Amino acid sequence: MSDPTAKLENFLKALLKSLDLQPLSEQSPEMYANTILPQLQTPSRVIINGTPYGSKQVFQQTWATLPSTQHQLLSYDAHLIPTGQPQSIYSILARVRVRFDESGRNRLGDTADLVPVSRPPRPLYSPWFGVSLKLIADEQLNQTFECECISSFNYRITEKPESSVFTL
Amino acid sequence: MFQSNFGLNQNLVDNRNYSASPSNQGFVTTNNAERGTVVEVTGWTNANEKDLVSFIHRKTKINLKIVNADRNSGVLTASVKSEKDANILVKYNGIRFAGESLKINIVSAIDSSKSNNTVTLIKNILASRYDPGTMMLNLDGLRNGMNPEFQGLFATTQTASKFFLALMKIASQQQLKVESLNLSNNDLGNSQKDLIEVAVSFPTLKNLALSNNNITKIETIEKLKNKLPYLRELWIVGNPIDSPSFSSDIIKCFPRLSILNGVPVRDEGKLTNLLSFPFPCASSFFESPELQSVAIQFITTYLNFWDNDRMSLLNLFTPESQFSYHFDTTHIVEASSASISIKDSRTPNSVASSWGSYISNSRNLMRVSGIKSRMSKVFKGRDPISDAFQSLPTSKHRLDKDPSSYSIEVVSVPILNAMEICVHGSFVETGSPKKSNKEGHFKNGSKYTAYHTSSRSQLSERSFDRSLLVIAGTGGSYIVASDMLLLKQYSGQGGWSSDSHRGPVSSSPAASGLPVAQAPSSAIPADIVSKLSLSQQQILNRVFEDTKLTPQYSIMLCEQSNWDYNTAMINFNNSRAQIPKDAFL
C-alpha cells in the first residue's frame, strides 16, 4: 500500500511557488498571468477572501497586479475521498503565511512615483499574514503537477498584522 | 487642506494671545519662595556629571539638578534651588575641576510652582491647540508664542526637546486622535528623539509639518523610516535638508507619502492600489441562496452539538467518513491584549502544556511522515471517530452569539453531490477530554500513545479553520464525508473582521453579511429546536425553508410525516390547497 498523501507537500509548494513567481523580462503581462496557478480547472471555484472568481483568467490577471509575495507552507492535512468513479479527490486543508512587498512597486514593475525614486531591487516585505488554504484537487496530481486538477481553491487571510502598510 | 491649515504661521498671532488667556492665569502665579534658576556649565568633560555635582556640592553646599549633559557640545544644563544659589554659584566661575576651568552662567530663572505645573501647562496647550474636528494638533511656533514665564523651558535645544517629548507623551496618554501635526518653527534641530516620539505617540499620523526647524541631517528624517506608515503629506521647507538631492531619500522613508512640500510625489490612488490586496474581502461566501440556508443551519447545529452533545454527531458519519485534526504553533500575529486572559499572558507555555490533548493525533503532514503514522491519525468510521471526538477537550463556540467573529465559505462539490463548508473563527475550551488516548482501541500502533496519554493541555481559547464535506443523504438527512480541523494559537479577530461585508464581484449569487443573523431558519424558536434530535432539526429546517410554513405548522407537518422529508413534501403538496393562509409566513 502506498501513501496517498505522499506527493501533496510538493504539490502545495508548487502551487505557492506559482503564486510568488516573478514575471520574466521577455514575458508579456498576459503570458505571465497564465503561469499563475495553472493547475486551476476551467472553470473552477476560486474564492479569495470570500470573493468568488468564476473565471480562472480574471483571477490570474488580478493576482498578476499584486506586489511581490512570499508564501510559506506551515502545515496541512488531507483526506482522499472516493467519488464512486475511478478517480478520487483530495480535500486539503493547509495553513500558509504570506508577506507582501511594501516598497510601492508591483511585480510587473509599476509604481505610483511622480518623481524619480531610487529603490533597491529587493522587496521590502510586510510582516506575515496568516492564510487558510482549502483545496479540492483530483487524484490526477499524483501523475503530474502540470495539469488542471484543482476544482476548488479557497484562499482566506485569517490573520493580519497591525503594523503592516499593506492592507486588505 | 494641509496648506491652509499649516499656512504661513497664521497661528502665531493666536499663540501670542495664549498667555493672556484668562483660562491660563493660574500658570503665571509666582511664588518667590519656590523660585529656581537654570544654569549652564562648561569645562567639565574631563570627568563625569556625578563627579561635577559632588564637586560643586563640596565646594558650595549647593545641589545641582542636572537637566541635560551633552558631552559633544560640552554644555551641562542644570537647575539650582534659587536665584540666590545661582548667584553664589557664578562666583565660583573659573574654579579648576578635573584639570579644566569651569564656566558657569545663569541661563534663566524658573518658577518651581510653574515647573510643578508643567503637566497642567501642557494639557492646556493641547486643549487650546488641538482641533478634534480636523484631528489636528497645531504646535506651529509654540516656543515663540510661549508665555515669557515659561521661556526657560526653551532656553536650550535640550530643554525644548524634553518639553516636546513630554507634550507628545501627554497627548498620547490623553489618547488624542491626531491625524495632522504641525511642529513648524520650533527650532527642533536634529533631535531624533522628538521625531521618534512623534511616531510613537501618533503612529497613524497622515500629515506632518516640520518647516523651519533647522534640520540639517537627512539621518534625522531617516530615523522615521517605516515608523509613520500612513503619512501622506510632509512639509520640510525652510530646513537645510529641503533640497532636491534629498527628495528620493525622504520619499523612501514613508511608504504612503504622496505630497512633499505641497508637491505631489506619488499618485495617491495608484499607491493605494499598490499597497492593497486587490481582492475584495467579504466575511462569508455562499455559492447559492439554497446552499446558504442549508449550510448556515447545518454548521450552526453541528457546532452546537460539537459543544453540547458531541456524540450525537456520530449519526452523521458512515463507515467511509473521515475525521482528522492537526495543530500548528506558528505565531503570526498577536491577539489584542484585551482578549488574552491574565493566566495566558503570564504563563509561557511549552508545546506540551499548551497542546497536550492534541499532540498524539495531530495530523500535520508536514511533520508526520510514514504511511503507517499518517494513516493512523485519520479516523474512519463511527467508532474511531467517536474515540477521536472524546479525546478532544470540550468546547464552546460563539457562532450564534457573535457571528461576526466567524467567517464561512460554502461551495458545491458536484462530483460528490455535496457541499463544502469552510468555517474560520475561535472557540474556548471548557473542559478536559472525556477519554484519554489510550482507552479502547484508539490509536493502536501509535508510537506516541504511551508518552502522551497523561498529557492534557491547559484550557484556553483557540483559533481554528475547519472544513466539512457534507453529502445530502436520504430522507433529508446529511452525511459528513470529511471533517478536517486545524487548530491555531488564538489570534483575536480574524482577517475578515474589519470588512464591510461586500458582495461578490462576479455574477455568482453570493450572499453577504453575518451568517447566523440572516439565517431564515432562526425564526424557529430555540425552545422547540432544543427538544429535537439533530436529524429532526435538519428535516424541520428543510421543511421550514421549502414550504414557508410557520414553525408550528412545519413541526406539525414533520410529525405527521414521521420525520421523513420526502413524505413531508408529498403531504404538503397534496394538501396545499387546504392549508390555511395563516399557516404560511
Side-chain angles (χ1 to χ4, degrees):
Chain A
M1 189 169 90
S2 62
D3 177 9
T5 56
K7 295 195 174 178
L8 293 184
E9 185 167 335
N10 285 338
F11 176 67
L12 288 169
K13 286 180 176 174
L15 302 185
L16 298 179
K17 191 177 174 185
S18 89
L19 293 175
D20 294 337
L21 207 61
Q22 290 291 320
L24 301 172
S25 55
E26 67 270 20
Q27 275 179 322
S28 67
E30 292 75 23
M31 282 174 62
Y32 166 64
N34 289 336
T35 66
I36 297 167
L37 223 55
Q39 295 85 355
L40 286 174
Q41 290 176 356
T42 312
S44 50
R45 289 164 173 77
V46 180
I47 318 293
I48 311 291
N49 274 354
T51 299
Y53 284 79
S55 161
K56 173 181 179 179
Q57 197 180 16
V58 172
F59 160 73
Q60 289 174 321
Q61 287 172 352
T62 309
W63 192 273
T65 65
L66 269 171
S68 295
T69 54
Q70 190 176 45
H71 285 84
Q72 273 185 9
L73 180 64
L74 299 175
S75 71
Y76 75 99
D77 189 9
H79 292 170
L80 183 63
I81 315 280
T83 61
Q85 297 175 22
Q87 291 273 315
S88 298
I89 57 170
Y90 286 106
S91 177
I92 305 168
L93 178 63
R95 190 181 188 210
V96 170
R97 63 180 180 178
V98 61
R99 52 185 183 171
F100 304 89
D101 181 13
E102 295 182 334
S103 69
R105 165 186 53 195
N106 74 6
R107 57 182 71 193
L108 297 173
D110 292 339
T111 72
D113 299 342
L114 299 174
V115 296
V117 177
S118 62
R119 279 192 179 77
R122 285 186 309 162
L124 298 172
Y125 279 122
S126 69
W128 292 104
F129 289 68
V131 177
S132 163
L133 192 60
K134 179 66 192 61
L135 303 174
I136 293 181
D138 293 349
E139 209 178 359
Q140 188 187 357
L141 66 87
N142 287 317
Q143 275 76 55
T144 172
F145 297 163
E146 308 300 319
C147 62
E148 293 190 346
C149 57
I150 299 175
S151 58
S152 172
F153 181 84
N154 185 353
Y155 183 104
R156 163 70 73 180
I157 295 181
T158 52
E159 293 145 284
K160 57 179 180 184
E162 286 182 6
S163 58
S164 176
V165 172
F166 195 84
T167 58
L168 298 182
Chain B
M1 174 261 182
F2 205 50
Q3 174 75 50
S4 60
N5 281 342
F6 282 16
L8 302 173
N9 286 330
Q10 65 185 25
N11 289 291
L12 283 177
V13 177
D14 300 334
N15 297 341
R16 290 187 191 105
N17 292 334
Y18 172 71
S19 60
S21 166
S23 64
N24 297 312
Q25 291 299 311
F27 303 116
V28 297
T29 303
T30 55
N31 178 344
N32 289 333
E34 295 179 348
R35 289 187 72 85
T37 301
V38 175
V39 296
E40 273 188 356
V41 184
T42 55
W44 57 275
T45 50
N46 284 347
N48 64 37
E49 304 92 299
K50 286 183 180 174
D51 290 340
L52 176 69
V53 171
S54 300
F55 175 78
I56 294 286
H57 186 259
R58 205 163 54 243
K59 294 290 181 186
T60 66
K61 304 298 179 193
I62 292 171
N63 288 321
L64 276 183
K65 283 187 178 175
I66 295 177
V67 175
N68 186 62
D70 186 347
R71 287 194 164 271
N72 294 327
S73 65
V75 176
L76 181 144
T77 310
S79 66
V80 292
K81 189 178 174 184
S82 65
E83 205 168 336
K84 183 182 169 188
D85 281 353
N87 288 328
I88 293 170
L89 208 54
V90 169
K91 289 178 185 173
Y92 286 84
N93 215 339
I95 190 171
R96 302 287 292 176
F97 170 67
E100 275 193 80
S101 297
L102 292 180
K103 289 183 182 174
I104 304 169
N105 297 312
I106 297 175
V107 176
S108 67
I110 60 171
D111 187 331
S112 63
S113 68
K114 195 166 56 184
S115 177
N116 292 336
N117 281 325
T118 301
V119 171
T120 316
L121 167 72
I122 288 173
K123 287 180 178 174
N124 277 273
I125 288 173
L126 291 173
S128 65
R129 286 174 172 254
Y130 175 67
D131 179 357
T134 58
M135 289 187 274
M136 179 170 176
L137 180 57
N138 191 347
L139 303 178
D140 186 355
L142 181 64
R143 63 187 308 157
N144 301 323
M146 187 61 74
N147 186 312
E149 292 292 321
F150 292 98
Q151 284 293 340
L153 293 169
F154 296 90
T156 66
T157 302
Q158 288 80 12
T159 54
S161 177
K162 279 180 178 285
F163 179 78
F164 277 112
L165 288 176
L167 190 143
M168 299 299 162
K169 281 187 177 167
I170 291 172
S172 180
Q173 285 165 5
Q174 290 186 340
Q175 298 183 325
L176 292 187
K177 198 170 180 185
V178 178
E179 284 193 352
S180 302
L181 175 64
N182 191 348
L183 278 169
S184 299
N185 303 296
N186 280 305
D187 198 19
L188 295 176
N190 292 307
S191 173
Q192 296 170 355
K193 278 185 187 172
D194 292 349
L195 294 183
I196 290 173
E197 189 60 38
V198 166
V200 170
S201 301
F202 312 120
T204 58
L205 202 62
K206 291 181 177 171
N207 309 301
L208 175 63
L210 295 170
S211 301
N212 303 315
N213 271 306
N214 195 29
I215 300 172
T216 61
K217 297 177 182 173
I218 186 65
E219 292 82 0
T220 306
I221 298 295
E222 285 178 335
K223 277 286 175 186
L224 289 174
K225 193 166 190 173
N226 297 326
K227 291 188 171 64
L228 290 172
Y230 303 100
L231 192 75
R232 60 176 294 279
E233 186 173 2
L234 175 67
W235 288 76
I236 53 160
V237 292
N239 292 291
I241 57 160
D242 178 17
S243 155
S245 59
F246 289 129
S247 293
S248 176
D249 293 328
I250 292 171
I251 292 167
K252 280 192 293 185
C253 292
F254 307 104
R256 290 188 181 276
L257 190 72
S258 301
I259 300 169
L260 179 60
N261 292 336
V263 177
V265 292
R266 286 188 180 123
D267 181 325
E268 197 168 2
K270 200 170 177 183
L271 184 64
T272 302
N273 288 337
L274 285 170
L275 295 175
S276 307
F277 200 54
F279 300 89
C281 185
S283 65
S284 48
F285 169 73
F286 303 94
E287 191 175 295
S288 68
E290 293 74 27
L291 279 182
Q292 178 181 7
S293 59
V294 173
I296 286 174
Q297 188 58 41
F298 181 87
I299 195 64
T300 307
T301 308
Y302 192 89
L303 293 180
N304 186 33
F305 273 86
W306 178 264
D307 291 342
N308 300 309
D309 186 10
R310 201 172 288 175
M311 291 304 107
S312 290
L313 293 173
L314 293 172
N315 293 327
L316 299 171
F317 290 79
T318 70
E320 294 301 313
S321 298
Q322 299 176 56
F323 169 74
S324 63
Y325 62 86
H326 77 278
F327 67 88
D328 178 48
T329 58
T330 307
H331 187 76
I332 295 181
V333 297
E334 293 284 349
S336 65
S337 54
S339 61
I340 300 174
S341 69
I342 293 171
K343 185 181 172 186
D344 286 345
S345 64
R346 287 177 180 171
T347 313
N349 295 328
S350 65
V351 171
S353 64
S354 296
W355 297 94
S357 301
Y358 303 96
I359 288 175
S360 58
N361 288 304
S362 174
R363 194 170 187 255
N364 174 6
L365 297 179
M366 293 277 283
R367 292 175 178 268
V368 178
S369 57
I371 182 170
K372 189 177 175 185
S373 184
R374 285 185 168 193
M375 298 309 284
S376 71
K377 293 173 192 295
V378 58
F379 304 100
K380 200 169 176 184
R382 282 185 185 171
D383 288 345
I385 291 173
S386 167
D387 286 337
F389 279 7
Q390 292 180 77
S391 75
L392 297 174
T394 57
S395 59
K396 177 66 184 167
H397 294 74
R398 299 185 306 266
L399 185 59
D400 51 346
K401 291 188 174 64
D402 185 16
S404 63
S405 296
Y406 294 80
S407 160
I408 184 168
E409 301 98 26
V410 181
V411 295
S412 63
V413 185
I415 195 169
L416 294 175
N417 191 26
M419 63 178 168
E420 182 194 55
I421 303 173
C422 284
V423 59
H424 319 273
S426 62
F427 64 84
V428 178
E429 292 169 337
T430 55
S432 298
K434 294 188 174 170
K435 198 171 185 178
S436 75
N437 293 348
K438 67 179 179 182
E439 291 175 38
H441 58 272
F442 191 48
K443 288 293 304 115
N444 284 339
S446 169
K447 63 183 177 182
Y448 299 104
T449 304
Y451 178 73
H452 288 295
T453 45
S454 62
S455 298
R456 284 187 173 176
S457 50
Q458 295 167 0
L459 301 178
S460 61
E461 189 160 14
R462 314 274 185 201
S463 290
F464 74 93
D465 303 307
R466 193 164 193 164
S467 164
L468 292 135
L469 276 172
V470 183
I471 300 172
T474 55
S477 63
Y478 297 106
I479 295 166
V480 175
S482 164
D483 181 359
M484 263 188 292
L485 176 61
L486 163 57
L487 299 138
K488 304 174 285 190
Q489 189 172 1
Y490 180 65
S491 58
Q493 293 284 312
W496 59 89
S497 58
S498 61
D499 76 84
S500 54
H501 309 294
R502 281 178 281 189
V505 296
S506 77
S507 57
S508 176
S512 60
L514 310 178
V516 171
Q518 292 190 348
S521 51
S522 62
I524 299 176
D527 59 329
I528 295 176
V529 173
S530 63
K531 292 173 185 169
L532 303 175
S533 69
L534 179 59
S535 59
Q536 286 175 326
Q537 285 184 36
Q538 292 168 353
I539 292 167
L540 174 61
N541 281 311
R542 288 191 69 185
V543 168
F544 178 69
E545 299 296 334
D546 294 347
T547 62
K548 309 298 181 197
L549 288 170
T550 63
Q552 290 73 22
Y553 276 89
S554 296
I555 291 172
M556 202 184 304
L557 177 60
C558 288
E559 286 173 344
Q560 290 170 358
S561 308
N562 290 324
W563 292 97
D564 182 86
Y565 172 78
N566 292 330
T567 308
M569 293 310 293
I570 291 168
N571 290 340
F572 173 73
N573 289 323
N574 289 341
S575 56
R576 187 168 194 157
Q578 288 81 47
I579 299 175
K581 282 184 181 176
D582 61 0
F584 291 92
L585 292 170

